[in-house]
Amino acid sequence: MLQLGIMNPLSPKTSRRVFFALISLALGGALLLFPLSLLADELARTAQELKSKYAAELNQLASWCDEKGLKAEARKTRNALGPHDPMKFYVPALPAEAGPPKLPPDAPPAVVEWDQKFNRLRKEQAAALNELARRAMRSNRPGLALESALDAIRANPDNESVRRLFGYQKYQNQWRTVYEVKKLRQGLVWTDKFGWLPKAYVKRYEEGRRFCNNKWITSAEDAAARRDIDAGWLVETEHYAIRTNHSLEAGVALGQKLERLYLLWSQLFIRYFATEDDVIALFDGRAKTQPPGRRHLVVYYRDRADYLDSLKEIFPDIEISVGFYQSRLRTAYFYADEKNDFRTLYHEATHQLFHESRPVSPKAGKLANFWITEGIALYMESLQVRDGFYELGGFDDQRMIAARYRLLNDRFYVPLSELAGYGMEKIQKDPRIATLYSQAAGLTHFLIHYDRGRYRDALVSYLSAVYSAQDTEHTLPKLTGAKFEELDQQYKEFMAKGDGNSSSK
Ligand SMILES: [Zn+2]
């Protein structure tokens, strides 16, 4: 779908601060004596070895459980690795509760022994991965650093320094973000249905009462007063402010989806909005977090009719859109729709995050390299929640299925050397726009996942260059260290192999 957001990337005056204090740190001199690529290979190998060793140890422990007849414990041990398709990016949904689950006081001695062995393995793995993450960051391998940190928190969600790295602190025996602690200290509690509420209000809200203008009214009265979007509910989450005239509950549900996107985006693209020194300091546990900058603004209409009606005067092309981001107003607009699969939401909100998380040039993507700004939004559309993980990517995602079909069946392919020269207008006026978008989706997936993420860091640098209009038609080969023709070839092999990419690792 052609969204209005892509037609109007006007200049935003971004003033949002990055989240980390500016601590400058020179890279250790000794480190620079080694050729970086050799060091990078060594780090990637160490990561692989740590993973294999951990898998073998878990397996061994699971077999020990089998021998003792501990069926449930054997299953838990085997499941500890979690999903690991290299064609997907995973972030675990972390528990708020601090500390591993407690065993019942009457647990048999064999279970107690298993619990100790299991926790020791997990702790050791997390500590080793955390160390590796810091080394990788100091060697300018943010992609590998993040992956190691995510594997560390997966192994042990209570590893203090990795928790801190991801912005958590311990508060009343729970892992909380700075923002959450502030809210809790104000006497508020989070409810999945109504968002942040004073603790004393929760029961009455559940009974259908609403507190409005200093008095209690019914939810029906509240809804009637908020028919107009300007009088709508204002839902605040950690990084978003959402105005809606649908319902308080729908605004809160939307906020939770946006926060998930934010979480994944801010981890994958940390080097887009924070400097190398900031990130090194963060991985070393020395960064002070700053209060978040301005919230991202979102307007969420009760239905499509209301969306069209409210916006047609300011945006004459609104009819062809199903949601869009307007960078000049720094606002994303959506409407409630039962058939909505939230792909448009994730797509447009991704444009918003790239535009509002650091200064962006009004010329971004105008002259060249426009495809990547769409490719990355198409990739982020794939967000899924599955088995305690947030996932992105995968050959089973509909954008990848379409991209492979266009390439392998239709034989449609614009060589990268040509595509890189296309600016925004060229692509938007091209009759092949839908197919070009498909190719952009496939290429982006390739740059993120090919050969265990070989080009992931280059991709982030590429996006930074494009959004600050410091790119040329040759930026991509320069950053990846691979010629256009080489990338074309690798892409075609990657797409032809499909899921075979995963099983060969
Ligand atoms: Zn777009």
Side-chain angles (χ1 to χ4, degrees):
M1 186 70 201
L2 182 61
Q3 281 107 357
L4 282 174
I6 59 173
M7 297 181 207
N8 280 312
L10 301 172
S11 104
K13 289 196 184 66
T14 308
S15 63
R16 184 165 184 167
R17 286 176 295 174
V18 295
F19 304 107
F20 312 107
L22 290 165
I23 301 166
S24 86
L25 173 89
L27 270 175
L31 199 68
L32 296 175
L33 296 175
F34 298 102
L36 280 181
S37 59
L38 277 185
L39 192 65
D41 286 349
E42 189 241 298
L43 288 168
R45 209 172 38 247
T46 308
Q48 210 49 41
E49 281 166 9
L50 275 175
K51 272 188 200 174
S52 315
K53 189 169 145 263
Y54 184 51
E57 284 168 340
L58 286 174
N59 227 341
Q60 211 180 355
L61 181 60
S63 305
W64 179 87
C65 290
D66 291 338
E67 280 166 30
K68 304 260 174 196
L70 305 176
K71 276 189 190 156
E73 288 73 17
R75 198 175 50 246
K76 270 189 203 160
T77 312
R78 289 199 170 93
N79 286 344
L81 273 184
H84 48 271
D85 176 353
M87 294 304 121
K88 289 187 180 182
F89 179 75
Y90 299 99
V91 169
L94 295 170
E97 227 52 55
K102 295 250 181 310
L103 287 179
D106 58 348
V111 172
V112 175
E113 196 181 339
W114 162 78
D115 188 56
Q116 285 165 350
K117 286 177 196 250
F118 188 44
N119 284 330
R120 191 173 61 235
L121 274 185
R122 298 174 63 159
K123 273 187 189 164
E124 285 171 2
Q125 177 70 356
L129 285 165
N130 180 32
E131 190 50 42
L132 179 73
R134 290 162 64 161
R135 281 177 60 208
M137 199 55 237
R138 285 174 161 272
S139 310
N140 198 20
R141 290 289 308 272
L144 181 64
L146 170 69
E147 209 176 298
S148 304
L150 284 170
D151 284 342
I153 205 78
R154 203 193 255 220
N156 177 17
D158 291 303
N159 182 301
E160 196 132 1
S161 65
V162 189
R163 273 284 187 168
R164 269 207 311 273
L165 163 68
F166 289 124
Y168 294 93
Q169 54 183 268
K170 233 183 233 176
Y171 179 78
Q172 296 182 340
N173 213 33
Q174 296 207 314
W175 292 108
R176 296 291 191 179
T177 64
V178 175
Y179 169 82
E180 287 170 342
V181 170
K182 201 176 118 202
K183 290 283 178 191
L184 293 167
R185 286 208 169 116
Q186 289 166 357
L188 302 176
V189 288
W190 172 262
T191 66
D192 283 343
K193 228 169 149 186
F194 311 113
W196 291 105
L197 278 184
K199 204 171 178 182
Y201 289 10
V202 177
K203 198 164 167 283
R204 273 186 277 186
Y205 264 68
E206 277 164 357
E207 290 164 357
R209 312 281 297 165
R210 299 289 181 266
F211 194 71
C212 189
N213 294 331
N214 285 322
K215 62 173 198 259
W216 286 96
I217 56 175
T218 66
S219 57
E221 286 165 341
D222 189 34
R226 297 182 190 273
R227 291 285 296 170
D228 193 275
I229 193 75
D230 295 327
W233 290 270
L234 190 64
V235 174
E236 183 196 286
T237 63
E238 187 156 357
H239 305 96
Y240 290 89
I242 300 153
R243 185 171 284 287
T244 183
N245 58 356
H246 182 285
S247 59
L248 174 61
E249 291 88 334
V252 172
L254 193 83
Q256 287 170 290
K257 288 198 158 59
L258 287 165
E259 286 295 339
R260 256 172 236 157
L261 177 82
Y262 183 93
L263 176 79
L264 289 160
W265 183 89
S266 61
Q267 296 189 0
L268 254 181
F269 302 108
I270 188 164
R271 281 289 285 107
Y272 175 80
F273 59 87
T275 69
E276 183 180 342
D277 287 349
D278 291 341
V279 186
I280 290 175
L282 183 71
F283 273 73
D284 280 352
R286 291 179 292 103
K288 293 187 204 109
T289 47
Q290 289 188 342
R294 216 161 87 177
R295 287 194 164 72
H296 305 290
L297 304 179
V298 172
V299 181
Y300 190 46
Y301 293 93
R302 96 171 73 86
D303 53 30
R304 181 163 172 84
D306 192 37
Y307 166 85
L308 295 177
D309 220 44
S310 307
L311 295 170
K312 66 182 179 222
E313 268 172 40
I314 348 174
F315 307 111
D317 287 339
I318 194 75
E319 282 279 356
I320 59 162
S321 77
V322 289
F324 69 104
Y325 169 61
Q326 227 291 343
S327 55
R328 190 169 44 84
L329 300 175
R330 301 174 66 89
T331 305
Y333 301 87
F334 305 102
Y335 57 86
D337 178 359
E338 274 174 24
K339 284 174 274 162
N340 195 337
D341 57 5
F342 298 103
R343 293 187 80 99
T344 303
L345 175 78
Y346 296 137
H347 183 112
E348 297 302 322
T350 298
H351 286 319
Q352 182 172 38
L353 288 170
F354 277 107
H355 273 273
E356 298 180 4
S357 301
R358 58 174 261 181
V360 166
S361 165
K363 291 190 206 130
K366 286 265 166 75
L367 299 175
N369 298 310
F370 177 70
W371 72 270
I372 191 60
T373 65
E374 286 307 320
I376 199 63
L378 294 162
Y379 176 79
M380 298 302 286
E381 283 181 18
S382 62
L383 199 165
Q384 295 277 342
V385 187
R386 206 173 287 158
D387 301 331
F389 285 85
Y390 305 129
E391 294 179 9
L392 289 173
F395 272 92
D396 52 356
D397 185 66
Q398 66 183 66
R399 294 286 182 196
M400 269 306 264
I401 293 169
R404 292 184 76 219
Y405 191 86
R406 297 291 173 222
L407 178 73
L408 304 170
N409 285 57
D410 298 353
R411 304 273 155 199
F412 178 91
Y413 187 69
V414 177
L416 265 170
S417 56
E418 194 185 325
L419 187 64
Y422 291 3
M424 184 177 73
E425 219 181 290
K426 163 88 181 139
I427 290 190
Q428 287 178 352
K429 290 198 171 146
D430 198 310
R432 304 167 301 167
I433 181 166
T435 333
L436 288 170
Y437 268 47
S438 267
Q439 183 177 330
L443 281 168
T444 306
H445 198 288
F446 160 77
L447 289 175
I448 294 175
H449 293 286
Y450 178 69
D451 192 19
R452 294 190 199 130
R454 191 204 291 192
Y455 298 133
R456 199 176 292 175
D457 293 335
L459 164 84
V460 180
S461 305
Y462 185 39
L463 282 159
S464 302
V466 173
Y467 274 107
S468 47
Q470 284 173 345
D471 57 321
T472 72
E473 289 177 28
H474 300 283
T475 300
L476 187 61
K478 216 165 114 192
L479 290 170
T480 54
K483 292 195 185 89
F484 275 132
E485 302 73 47
E486 234 176 294
L487 293 169
D488 289 334
Q489 192 51 37
Q490 288 168 346
Y491 173 64
K492 285 177 187 170
E493 284 164 16
F494 175 81
M495 295 299 268
K497 227 170 162 187
D499 278 332
N501 285 290
S502 309
S503 54
S504 67
K505 304 289 172 199

